[in-house]
Amino acid sequence: MLISIFLQTLALACLSLAMDKHYNAVVHGALATKRKVVLRILGWVSLLISFGLLIAQQPLLAIAVVDWLAWLSCNILLVALLLCWKSVKR
Amino acid sequence: MKPDFRKNMVWLHTYSGLVMGWLLFTIFLTGTLAYFNPEITQWMKPELQKVSNTANMLNRSLDELHARGEGASGWSIYLPNNRTEHWYIQWGEGRRNRTTLSLGSELKQVIEPRESAGGNFFRVFHYTLQLRGYGGRYYSGIAAMFMLVAVFSGIFTHRRFFRDFFTLRISKLQKALTDFHGLIGIVTMPFCIMICATGIMVYVIMYMPFSSEHYVGTERQLSSVLSPGLEKLAPKAPTSVPITNFSEIERKIDATWGEKQIRRVTFEQPFTEAGRIIVDRIKDSTLSRQSDRLVFSAHTGEPLKGYLPASTAAEVRRVFFGLHEAHFADTGLRWLLFLLGLLSSALIASGLTIWLMKRLDKVRKRHVSHFLVERLNIAVIAGLPLAIMAFFLSNRLLPVMLENRAEIEVQVFLWTWLLCFLHSFLRQAKNAWVEQLLATALCCFLLPMIDLIQDSQRLLDAFNQINLPYLIFTVSILIVGACFMKTALWLKGKPVSNKLNKGSDKSSC
């Protein structure tokens, strides 16, 4: 469960870094196209894995989906707050 | 000229949000609290102590019912679970005329919890608005529709939906607030859609009476056609005696469901030959509102024919209902949903504040509607939490033996809220904000203190027994108080010159 959630956070972080604006705010530099693609793939794949992990743990598929979506919402907020904090610190 | 789609959507978003915003905020905040309905009740009835879930519970309940409920047409046993320590039995005639008795963990021990509206008040209030019989449930249904409209039009209102994903800029207040609104909108969108759609589904038969009129006659008849119950038992004179030992049935249940899966046991007409026992399973393992049920004979304990499967439409509605109530959620998911509920309330609150800020920035002279929106914002966004805290305070301060205590608690809630309205109209906007927020914070800090002074044993007991609902409630109240305090102080420190009456409280909803 915890691994799955952490993976989800990581996935969202990757996806956000694949956006020029956020990449720039964190790494200070332009985002190369290749890296962008890698980050995107990494993000989506780990999202899928986190979903798979949660399903494997929770006996009921329906509840697992609710669980995953609820965590997804909160993780989006978390990543946004982290990015905001990062850009303020600069 | 081609109508401008986006402009129309912005208009729709603005005004559907504005018209229903205050009602929606109220419904969302109280509904969010209703996620912790039994836990709040546990706190509001501190007489309920930790009951260790022993195997003998059902038999003890049965003994009490035999001793007290002789000849009654219905008996029920409600077992405690990990969310509440309330273990009680009921007996009597029909649904209304029932006597309730709460049991304690020691033999023959009977507990008399104080009369209190409990967490159930929030559950009932968030859809009836205390106006049951006056169209309360229709208002909340309409509000849910408006919320759906606002959510969908909101997608088009925020132009750069995907480009601004994960973005929150806090350089300027208004910008921060707009970003916050957009971000929270994205975060809570699945939640809001789920909650509003399922909320409408709960009373869908009532909101659309035409189909039931067309097919079967009345709304109630439609429900019973869709989800058939057991055949009716005619009340007869007592002819036989119900079982005195539940262990045999419990063994059978454990074999089918596994251990500790019983939520409620209901006896129908226990003193007739045809009397039966209906056992409800706990709702941990199903999305549906209706958990599994087993039926036994009250006389012999033999299994009887169970419920017929409900129609697909009824099943769908049950799942929607179950999703709305989230009885299946374990503690982690419940907190997540609670958080999402708070965020949705903050979404609505920030939307209302943005509407006002944007307009006050531009206009030279205020219109009366600006004044009205400003005051309603204060009275609802700051006033409602204050009223809720007053409700909690009244639970501790009213004399325990007072008659109609539960009703008076609700009265306190409503009167405090009315006072907040008056106060917001009488004071300067900024002062009103600060004062109401501070008052709420003060109440939050007072509440655990009063609790401690009244009976310090309670807290000690809670510590010793690891009564989690009680402890977490106390800690949460203190945290909420700190958030309100911080918001109020921050607002106080802001210069009045920009004449904005800022009030969204990000952290404290």
Side-chain angles (χ1 to χ4, degrees):
Chain A
M1 177 98 181
L2 274 179
I3 301 172
S4 160
I5 295 159
F6 185 66
L7 212 57
Q8 209 184 39
T9 323
L10 225 56
L12 288 169
C14 285
L15 285 177
S16 71
L17 284 182
M19 292 158 79
D20 294 320
K21 184 166 61 179
H22 298 309
Y23 187 85
N24 197 16
V26 178
V27 193
H28 323 218
L31 176 59
T33 325
K34 204 172 148 197
R35 190 168 280 180
K36 194 180 206 168
V37 174
V38 170
L39 278 172
R40 281 244 167 98
I41 293 174
L42 210 62
W44 284 110
V45 168
S46 29
L47 260 190
L48 278 180
I49 296 176
S50 84
F51 187 57
L53 275 179
L54 207 60
I55 288 180
Q57 266 177 5
Q58 180 58 260
L60 273 149
L61 177 69
I63 293 182
V65 173
V66 178
D67 242 345
W68 192 77
L69 282 176
W71 278 111
L72 186 70
S73 305
C74 293
N75 271 329
I76 293 176
L77 183 67
L78 179 68
V79 169
L81 287 178
L82 281 176
L83 286 172
C84 169
W85 171 72
K86 188 80 194 170
S87 59
V88 168
K89 239 180 88 178
R90 266 185 70 189
Chain B
M1 214 180 86
K2 222 177 89 190
D4 186 339
F5 177 71
R6 196 175 155 262
K7 224 176 212 168
N8 286 342
M9 281 295 141
V10 172
W11 181 88
L12 190 62
H13 185 69
T14 310
Y15 287 96
S16 61
L18 181 70
V19 170
M20 281 286 161
W22 301 293
L23 185 56
L24 278 170
F25 181 81
T26 311
I27 292 173
F28 264 83
L29 193 59
T30 47
T32 302
L33 286 173
Y35 271 131
F36 286 116
N37 178 352
E39 287 87 349
I40 292 176
T41 310
Q42 173 73 33
W43 186 87
M44 293 181 87
K45 296 184 176 178
E47 291 80 8
L48 299 174
Q49 13 154 302
K50 189 108 177 159
V51 199
S52 49
N53 200 339
T54 52
N56 222 359
M57 247 169 196
L58 282 163
N59 277 338
R60 234 199 86 194
S61 313
L62 215 52
D63 287 346
E64 293 285 347
L65 282 170
H66 269 288
R68 297 165 195 265
E70 182 84 45
S73 74
W75 288 357
S76 322
I77 304 168
Y78 293 83
L79 293 184
N81 51 40
N82 51 7
R83 293 181 61 194
T84 171
E85 303 298 335
H86 202 186
W87 168 24
Y88 60 105
I89 54 177
Q90 286 183 329
W91 66 90
E93 313 294 323
R95 274 199 179 178
R96 295 280 160 91
N97 197 2
R98 291 195 147 212
T99 320
T100 304
L101 188 77
S102 306
L103 301 177
S105 47
E106 274 148 47
L107 204 64
K108 298 275 169 205
Q109 185 189 12
V110 168
I111 292 175
E112 286 175 8
R114 62 181 68 190
E115 193 195 337
S116 164
N120 207 32
F121 164 69
F122 296 113
R123 188 182 72 84
V124 175
F125 183 80
H126 97 277
Y127 64 88
T128 62
L129 308 168
Q130 211 61 24
L131 289 171
R132 205 177 190 127
Y134 300 93
R137 283 175 292 174
Y138 289 102
Y139 302 141
S140 42
I142 293 167
M145 286 300 271
F146 268 78
M147 185 70 185
L148 281 178
V149 169
V151 167
F152 281 114
S153 55
I155 299 174
F156 300 102
T157 307
H158 294 273
R159 222 168 329 181
R160 304 184 304 159
F161 183 78
F162 283 107
R163 235 195 308 154
D164 277 347
F165 222 88
F166 300 118
T167 305
L168 183 63
R169 292 158 297 184
I170 51 171
S171 50
K172 242 188 84 193
L173 183 63
Q174 195 176 331
K175 204 176 237 176
L177 211 60
T178 317
D179 274 357
F180 177 73
H181 185 73
L183 178 67
I184 298 295
I186 292 169
V187 168
T188 59
M189 195 183 301
F191 176 79
C192 285
I193 293 174
M194 181 275 278
I195 279 297
C196 295
T198 54
I200 292 170
M201 280 301 275
V202 170
Y203 285 113
V204 70
I205 297 180
M206 211 179 90
Y207 295 145
M208 307 194 71
F210 322 107
S211 57
S212 60
E213 273 165 25
H214 184 269
Y215 289 109
V216 279
T218 65
E219 292 157 25
R220 205 157 284 210
Q221 276 169 327
L222 182 65
S223 309
S224 61
V225 169
L226 287 177
S227 31
L230 298 173
E231 56 182 297
K232 275 246 150 54
L233 291 182
K236 278 190 218 134
T239 51
S240 72
V241 180
I243 54 162
T244 51
N245 193 341
F246 207 80
S247 310
E248 185 59 31
I249 297 182
E250 207 177 348
R251 241 194 310 283
K252 283 178 200 159
I253 293 168
D254 285 355
T256 345
W257 287 345
E259 270 178 36
K260 300 210 169 156
Q261 294 284 314
I262 301 174
R263 184 174 71 89
R264 181 179 66 179
V265 178
T266 318
F267 287 71
E268 286 184 349
Q269 303 291 351
F271 289 94
T272 62
E273 287 285 341
R276 62 190 167 213
I277 306 172
I278 301 165
V279 183
D280 284 49
R281 192 175 181 172
I282 52 172
K283 295 176 179 171
D284 284 19
S285 48
T286 171
L287 279 195
S288 169
R289 176 175 204 249
Q290 182 63 61
S291 53
D292 297 338
R293 287 173 290 194
L294 288 175
V295 185
F296 298 92
S297 159
H299 185 47
T300 60
E302 288 301 308
L304 297 180
K305 200 160 80 75
Y307 281 81
L308 290 171
S311 70
T312 316
E315 276 302 336
V316 169
R317 180 176 166 270
R318 279 177 185 173
V319 169
F320 272 48
F321 205 155
L323 267 175
H324 193 90
E325 289 189 319
H327 282 301
F328 59 86
D330 53 20
T331 318
L333 183 55
R334 187 166 296 282
W335 274 100
L336 276 188
L337 290 171
F338 180 75
L339 185 68
L340 286 172
L342 286 188
L343 285 175
S344 312
S345 316
L347 171 76
I348 299 163
S350 59
L352 286 168
T353 326
I354 291 169
W355 187 94
L356 190 68
M357 278 173 86
K358 270 195 172 161
R359 277 157 190 74
L360 286 191
D361 256 358
K362 284 180 200 149
V363 292
R364 286 271 169 76
K365 201 160 164 268
R366 283 183 179 209
H367 193 255
V368 64
S369 64
H370 295 138
F371 177 78
L372 195 66
V373 170
E374 183 175 53
R375 302 306 150 132
L376 281 171
N377 273 357
I378 300 170
V380 173
I381 299 172
L384 179 65
L386 183 56
I388 290 172
M389 289 317 297
F391 173 73
F392 285 145
L393 272 179
S394 73
N395 174 270
R396 285 295 191 260
L397 293 179
L398 290 174
V400 176
M401 297 317 288
L402 200 64
E403 252 181 67
N404 279 337
R405 199 166 179 279
E407 222 165 274
I408 295 173
E409 282 175 4
V410 177
Q411 298 282 339
V412 168
F413 170 83
L414 294 173
W415 282 108
T416 313
W417 207 9
L418 186 67
L419 278 181
C420 288
F421 271 97
L422 291 180
H423 174 256
S424 73
F425 277 89
L426 292 176
R427 297 281 292 169
Q428 275 221 323
K430 191 182 151 185
N431 291 341
W433 272 115
V434 172
E435 282 158 11
Q436 294 199 6
L437 289 173
L438 272 183
T440 315
L442 193 69
C443 289
C444 288
F445 295 137
L446 270 180
L447 194 60
M449 258 194 268
I450 289 174
D451 195 31
L452 197 63
I453 293 168
Q454 261 184 354
D455 191 353
S456 50
Q457 194 58 38
R458 252 184 237 150
L459 199 63
L460 281 178
D461 282 349
F463 265 117
N464 287 335
Q465 303 169 339
I466 320 179
N467 189 344
L468 281 181
Y470 196 94
L471 295 175
I472 293 176
F473 183 96
T474 311
V475 173
S476 316
I477 284 288
L478 287 174
I479 294 173
V480 170
C483 291
F484 272 99
M485 190 77 163
K486 195 143 184 359
T487 318
L489 292 180
W490 168 77
L491 201 58
K492 203 174 171 199
K494 264 175 65 71
V496 206
S497 60
N498 61 356
K499 73 178 177 173
L500 296 176
N501 301 289
K502 162 65 206 55
S504 172
D505 19 5
K506 289 171 195 176
S507 45
S508 52
C509 83

